[in-house]
Amino acid sequence: MITLNFANLMEEVIGKNGLTEREIEDFKPEAQKAFQQLIQRKWKELDFLDLPEQDTLKIKEIARQTVDDSEYFLLLGIGGSALGPRAILEALSPLHNLRRTPRVFIYDNVDPRTIDAILEIIDLKKTTVNVITKSGSTAETVASFMILWEQMQKLYGEEAFKRFIATTDPEKGNLREIVRRYGMSSLEIPPGVGGRYSVLSPVGLLLAEVIGVDSKELLLGARDMRQRCMEEDLWKNPALLLASALYKFGQAGRTIDVIIPYADGLKSFSEWFCQLWSESLGKLGLGLTPYPSVGTTDQHSQLQLWMEGPEDKVVLFIRVEDYGVDRKIPIVFEDMDGLNYLSGHSLSELIKAEEESSELALAKAGRPNARITVPSVDAYHLGQLFMFFEIVTAFTGFMLGINPFNQPGVEEGKHFTYGMMGKKGFEERRKEVEASRERKICWTL
Ligand code: PA5
């Protein structure tokens, strides 16, 4: 089970910048309110909590067929429809494409250079395309889907649909309509599960199975973590405690939350967390800013700022207990004191020492930080991490008094794009864009 150590958030350990037990006690009624919203399922979007119980039979079947007949797996999606799958891929199958098939490409942008490069590498005859969009209308995803559809049609004519798997809403949207029209293979994202909370739905699970990961393990981990976070007592509930602490630090001006896993494979996990935290909490002038990072690499790039820069951050370390493999640092250059102190130690000893040292250095400087320990980077514990942070996010949103499940700001941008690209019903948005271009002309150098 992953654990949370919050000693370095406390005044007793880091001095005046920390929280006192009293302050946390006093916050209990507010934390309780947030807890009750979750327990009583006050929001339909809390359906992500039920994902551990889903039936994975169809996902496994589609994945088996994909592995049998594909050398390439191309995932088209953006935001919640891509960041979760990428976090799974990189955590559970590092350097996947250099070691295993099907080779996986996640195209989550509309940069023409990237799709050009992908199309140069993959053989479409041996490719399965998984198009993921809950709404079925996100411009980036549908544009890349249309490109792939045409390419496949050139090869397969009316049979093109057989090379696609659609992951989308069970009833609504353009993609569901196309599934009905062509009888395309498809998986369902439950209606009550929002994009950034969907990693443990078929959105992430199909890719997991395709790369050889048992999706059941991810779900088991998530189920156990959910159980752990259902504890009413704040002092026994790690998600409620962390949410309360980050909320309180935010109120005191520490509005930036750095996440720093000490594992290359979890770098994409921090990007997944960033979307979850930003899109869920940033609204109505409120919110907390996530800051993705990876240890030890960013100790040599960012740590200076966290140590001595503005007092506006809380650092969340993710420590890995067992890396599964290790490598001894050999006894070479024995006469050189600058090097020989490392000999006989292992890389995992070094990375853990680095992590602990950073925690300590920050604590000594009075900078709040906490440690989440992951026993190992496997499907079971990754499932726990996903569920843990989703619950922390929901709690924090409830504490802030905002809706952590919508993204009105993102929708606004989407509507301008629709206007510019000529979508029916968005003519007014197009006019707004044109007016804004006029205004900009005289300010251009
Ligand atoms: O969290 C969200 O809902 C968003 O980030 C979506 O995942 C993103 O906009 C993509 O949406 P869709 O899956 O509908 O294409």
Side-chain angles (χ1 to χ4, degrees), residues 77-83 132-142 167-168 189 193-198 203 275-276 279-280 405-407 410-411 414:
I78 196 163
S81 295
L83 289 161
I132 308 182
T133 165
K134 169 98 191 288
S135 60
S137 57
T138 304
E140 293 89 335
T141 307
V142 294
T167 307
T168 189
I189 308 172
V193 175
R196 55 192 176 275
Y197 295 84
S198 70
V203 168
Q275 188 217 3
L276 182 69
E279 235 174 50
S280 302
F405 304 114
N406 66 358
Q407 55 283 328
V410 180
E411 300 307 323
K414 278 187 184 178

Side-chain angles (χ1 to χ4, degrees), residues 51 54-55 58-59 62 130-134 165-172 175-176 179-180 184-193 198 200-206:
L51 290 173
Q54 78 198 270
D55 185 358
K58 187 170 176 197
I59 300 173
I62 292 184
N130 180 203
V131 51
I132 308 182
T133 165
K134 169 98 191 288
I165 302 160
T167 307
T168 189
D169 187 274
E171 299 290 337
K172 292 190 293 204
L175 192 56
R176 183 51 64 187
V179 167
R180 283 195 203 102
M184 192 196 284
S185 172
S186 75
L187 291 165
E188 299 180 353
I189 308 172
V193 175
S198 70
L200 295 168
S201 78
V203 168
L205 299 191
L206 177 63

Side-chain angles (χ1 to χ4, degrees), residues 327-334 339-340 342-345:
R327 204 157 271 263
K328 273 258 177 278
I329 305 171
I331 304 171
V332 289
F333 308 114
E334 276 172 272
L339 304 184
N340 63 15
L342 291 167
S343 298
H345 294 290

